[in-house]
Amino acid sequence: MSDTLSQHQIDELMKNLNNGSPANAEKKGDKRIKNYNFKAPQKFTKEDLNLIRDIYEQYARLVASHITTIARLYCHATVLKVEEQRYHEFNNSLEDYVMMGIIKLGFENKDIMEAECTVQLSNDITFALIDRLMGGQGDTIEISRDFTEIEISLMKTLLEKMAFFLQEAWSSYISINPSLSKIETNSRLAKQLAPNEIVVTATLEVELNNRKSIMTVTVPAINMEEILTHLSGRYITMSKRIIDEDKKQAQRATIMKGVKNSSLTMHTILAETQIDLSDILSLRLNDIIPLDVPITQNAMVKINDVQWFTAKPGISNNKKAIKIIDVYDKK
C-alpha cells in the first residue's frame, strides 16, 4: 500500500476534521469496539477495582481533611479512577521533578510478601502547600525545578501523615503498619520496578484554594493480587455463622429426634437358596429344603434392603428373636 495520500483522501480527511469528527468516526448505530491487548491481559476484575476504589475513597477523605487542617484552606479530594497499567507508562506520565514518597506497607500477616507503594503529588499542589506552610496565600506556582532541602523537609511531614492514613484506610480489610521509606524528587531516577511490571494506580483529584491538581497512589499488581487473595479468604471466614456449643448440641438433638421417629423395614434372613418353580409347586407339608450354608452361620439383618448387621437366631420370652453379633462390614 502506498504511503502517499491521494487528493480525494486529503479532501475527505479535511472535511471530517472541519466537522469535528475523526476520519474513522463510528456511524450511528455501529457497535463500539474496545481494544484489548492480549500480550498484557488484565489481572483484576471490575469488582476488584471497585473494592480498591472504595478503599481510596476513604483515603481521599482523610488526606483532604488533614490538608484542610494544616493549610487552613478548604481542600476536597476524590478518586477519579483506579486502573492497572505498566510501570513505564505511569513513570513516563510524570514530570521530571515531582514530590514522590516511597512507603513501605509493612503487612502484619507474614504470609503476604512485603511491598512498597508510591504516593506522588503533582507540582501544583506541592508548591501551593509549601507556599502556604511558609506563610503565603497558597497560590499555585508553575515551577519546574528540583526541590530544596527545606521544601523536602516540609513535605516529609505531610508524606509521613499520608503513609499513616493508608493504615486507617485499609484497616477494615487488612492490617498494615506503613512507614515512609524515602522521598524521591526526580521521577526518572525513581525506578522502583521493572518497566514492564504491572501496577495498580489510583488517581485522586485534589482541589485546594480553588485550583485542581492530581495525586496518585501506586501499588505493584503482584502485591495487590496477594492482598485481594487474603481478603477473599478473610471474608469467607467472616461469612460463616459462629454457633456456640450449646446451640450446636440442641440442633443435633433435634435432628436425631427426627431420625429416631423415622419408620424403617427390617428383615432377618437365615439363608438363601435357589429352587426350580416345579419343585415349589410340588412342595408338601413336612418336606425338607436343603440349604448350602452350615447351621452355625449367622443370619443377615437388612434394613430397607441394605445389610447392616449379622445376628444369631434364638428365643426370648418364648418369642422368636435375634441377637446382634456384629456390624456388617460393607468392604
Side-chain angles (χ1 to χ4, degrees), residues 125-161:
I125 185 174
T126 301
F127 283 114
L129 284 171
I130 291 173
D131 180 65
R132 185 61 176 170
L133 294 174
M134 294 292 288
Q137 298 298 318
D139 296 327
T140 302
I141 307 173
E142 295 183 3
I143 301 176
S144 180
R145 61 166 175 80
D146 202 355
F147 297 89
T148 65
E149 292 296 328
I150 295 176
E151 292 169 341
I152 294 174
S153 179
L154 285 172
M155 294 303 297
K156 180 181 179 181
T157 304
L158 175 61
L159 290 172
E160 287 175 344
K161 269 298 195 181

Side-chain angles (χ1 to χ4, degrees), residues 89-100:
E89 295 175 355
F90 162 73
N91 191 264
N92 291 341
S93 65
L94 303 177
E95 300 180 40
D96 290 339
Y97 299 106
V98 293
M99 185 60 61
M100 184 183 298

Side-chain angles (χ1 to χ4, degrees), residues 26 44-45 51 64 97 102 112 117 137 173 220 239 274 298:
E26 298 174 354
F44 301 95
T45 64
L51 172 61
Y97 299 106
I102 311 300
I112 303 179
C117 78
Q137 298 298 318
Y173 304 91
S239 64
Q274 289 185 349
N298 297 330

Side-chain angles (χ1 to χ4, degrees), residues 6 34 46 71 74 96 99 106 154-155 161 169 176 203 251-252 263 265 295 304 308:
S6 65
K34 182 179 179 181
K46 185 178 180 180
Y74 174 72
D96 290 339
M99 185 60 61
L154 285 172
M155 294 303 297
K161 269 298 195 181
I176 60 174
T203 303
Q251 289 179 341
R252 180 181 178 87
S263 298
T265 302
I295 194 171
N304 283 1
W308 278 84

Side-chain angles (χ1 to χ4, degrees), residues 30 132 134 148 152 154 161 168 175 206 211 224 235 252 266 280 285 294 299 311 320 327:
D30 289 351
R132 185 61 176 170
M134 294 292 288
T148 65
I152 294 174
L154 285 172
K161 269 298 195 181
E168 191 169 346
S175 297
V206 181
R211 292 292 297 271
M224 187 62 76
Y235 286 131
R252 180 181 178 87
M266 185 175 72
I280 294 176
L285 188 63
K320 295 178 181 179
V327 178

Side-chain angles (χ1 to χ4, degrees), residues 100-114:
M100 184 183 298
I102 311 300
I103 298 173
K104 185 177 180 181
L105 293 178
F107 298 104
E108 290 188 3
N109 188 340
K110 300 304 179 182
D111 294 334
I112 303 179
M113 182 174 58
E114 189 52 68

Side-chain angles (χ1 to χ4, degrees), residues 263-285:
S263 298
L264 299 173
T265 302
M266 185 175 72
H267 297 281
T268 302
I269 302 175
L270 296 176
E272 293 179 342
T273 188
Q274 289 185 349
I275 187 172
D276 294 337
L277 179 60
S278 59
D279 293 334
I280 294 176
L281 296 174
S282 62
L283 282 177
R284 296 292 182 270
L285 188 63

Side-chain angles (χ1 to χ4, degrees), residues 128-220:
L129 284 171
I130 291 173
D131 180 65
R132 185 61 176 170
L133 294 174
M134 294 292 288
Q137 298 298 318
D139 296 327
T140 302
I141 307 173
E142 295 183 3
I143 301 176
S144 180
R145 61 166 175 80
D146 202 355
F147 297 89
T148 65
E149 292 296 328
I150 295 176
E151 292 169 341
I152 294 174
S153 179
L154 285 172
M155 294 303 297
K156 180 181 179 181
T157 304
L158 175 61
L159 290 172
E160 287 175 344
K161 269 298 195 181
M162 289 184 172
F164 173 75
F165 292 145
L166 283 172
Q167 180 183 25
E168 191 169 346
W170 282 91
S171 61
S172 299
Y173 304 91
I174 194 168
S175 297
I176 60 174
N177 292 308
S179 59
L180 182 64
S181 177
K182 60 180 178 178
I183 296 176
E184 290 286 355
T185 58
N186 191 322
S187 62
R188 305 302 167 236
L189 299 179
K191 301 297 183 182
Q192 300 298 317
L193 299 169
N196 288 329
E197 284 288 335
I198 304 297
V199 295
V200 180
T201 303
T203 303
L204 283 67
E205 183 183 68
V206 181
E207 183 179 355
L208 179 66
N209 208 11
N210 297 323
R211 292 292 297 271
K212 294 181 180 180
S213 54
I214 297 299
M215 168 185 172
T216 60
V217 183
T218 305
V219 179

